[in-house]
Amino acid sequence: MTESMRALVVDETGEGAAFRMADVPRPLRVLDEVLVRVVAAGVNPIDRKTRLGRGLAPAITGYPAVLGLDFAGVVEEVPYAAHALQPGDRVYGMARVPRTWGSYAEYATVGSLSVAPMPSSTGFVEAAAIPCAALTAWGAVVDVARVHDGQRVLIHAGAGGVGHFAVQLAAYFGAHVTATGSPRNAEFLASLGARHVIDYTAERFEEVAGEQDVVIDLIGNVADDTGTRSLEVLRPGGLVVNVPTKSWPTMAEEAAARGIRSTGFTLAPDARTLAIVSRLVDDGALRVHVDEVFDLADGEAAHERLGQGHVRGKIVLRVADDAG
């Protein structure tokens, strides 16, 4: 008989879709998967978009559904005795929602290539805030833009989940980082490595940023045509990397007309990169900021807070009190 677990579920997606706590079957581990007892789950914009009928919602094949990409927890089962991960290991990673149930639950099954040992210097709450945001930042800054010493890089929404990692990574690899943010985040952004912080509430960034080699666009044209305006600060042959899906549909055409390179970006869960991130966190080169923590049963409130915007770093759901 299949064991059950407590999970935060949705019975539908779309505007007004609500969460409820429910007893559901515990997922069964198969093939290369690792069964993880979840202690904390990160909350990401894609989770909220999916619940509201966008994002990953079209790929959900049945209800109730469990959302949530990020997790930190303890390994319960592994594929074979000599596996690199062992029961009791403290790990973090990303669930493959909606191909599997997500991390807003007591247990999750994840492929071996999507989970890695969590940083030894963080607790579960901090670790759960890292995977999706840090992997996205790494992909945009390192894999795609190949940011390096001496480059000038502009990062929009630098104090947000992805942004606060992107600022740190660009600075770590030697770039002169400019970040846009609100006045309350100016000191925070400077502490992350931004040499120039632009108050978007008082200044037009294209008038004060100067020429840039790379723009990491975490907003697109959904707010004040941020994407299109970014083209004005890029040098000929410069690169704009747009991250939020469908936030700037005309990017390729607009950038090409100005002689600027452009690309979107979609992350792929990668345990190897997560292992690098863990080392950077433990070495003090990368830090995570958790803005607010909610209990799993308060997932609705967590999503409402995320929807209000202006989150510094990440929001996390506490699934279990401890690792015991």
Side-chain angles (χ1 to χ4, degrees), residues 240-322:
V240 58
V241 183
N242 171 257
V243 174
T245 306
K246 298 180 180 179
S247 64
W248 184 10
T250 58
M251 175 185 65
E253 294 81 5
E254 291 184 49
R258 290 174 175 257
I260 291 169
R261 295 173 295 139
S262 67
T263 182
F265 175 76
T266 301
L267 85 159
D270 183 353
R272 294 168 299 182
T273 303
L274 269 179
I276 297 173
V277 169
S278 290
R279 289 198 296 272
L280 291 174
V281 171
D282 286 337
D283 289 344
L286 199 63
R287 59 189 173 96
V288 57
H289 182 85
V290 176
D291 196 333
E292 199 165 353
V293 182
F294 294 81
D295 288 335
L296 180 62
D298 296 325
E300 189 87 34
H303 275 223
E304 288 179 4
R305 173 66 187 90
L306 185 64
Q308 293 168 5
H310 305 291
V311 173
R312 178 185 290 180
K314 293 291 295 292
I315 292 172
V316 175
L317 296 177
R318 184 185 292 106
V319 179
D321 290 335
D322 52 44

Side-chain angles (χ1 to χ4, degrees), residues 225-244:
D225 290 333
T226 298
T228 296
R229 290 164 51 212
S230 296
L231 299 177
E232 298 181 29
V233 306
L234 280 162
R235 65 168 175 80
L239 173 67
V240 58
V241 183
N242 171 257
V243 174

Side-chain angles (χ1 to χ4, degrees), residues 3 5 26-30 32-38 71 73-79 85-89 91 106-112 115:
E3 296 184 47
M5 66 175 182
R26 196 174 87 173
L28 295 175
R29 190 203 62 75
V30 297
D32 75 315
E33 291 176 345
V34 175
L35 178 68
V36 176
R37 180 162 50 81
V38 179
F71 67 85
V74 180
V75 173
E76 288 280 306
E77 298 176 5
V78 295
L85 297 174
Q86 290 293 300
D89 286 353
V91 295
E106 292 179 319
Y107 292 89
T109 52
V110 290
S112 293
V115 59

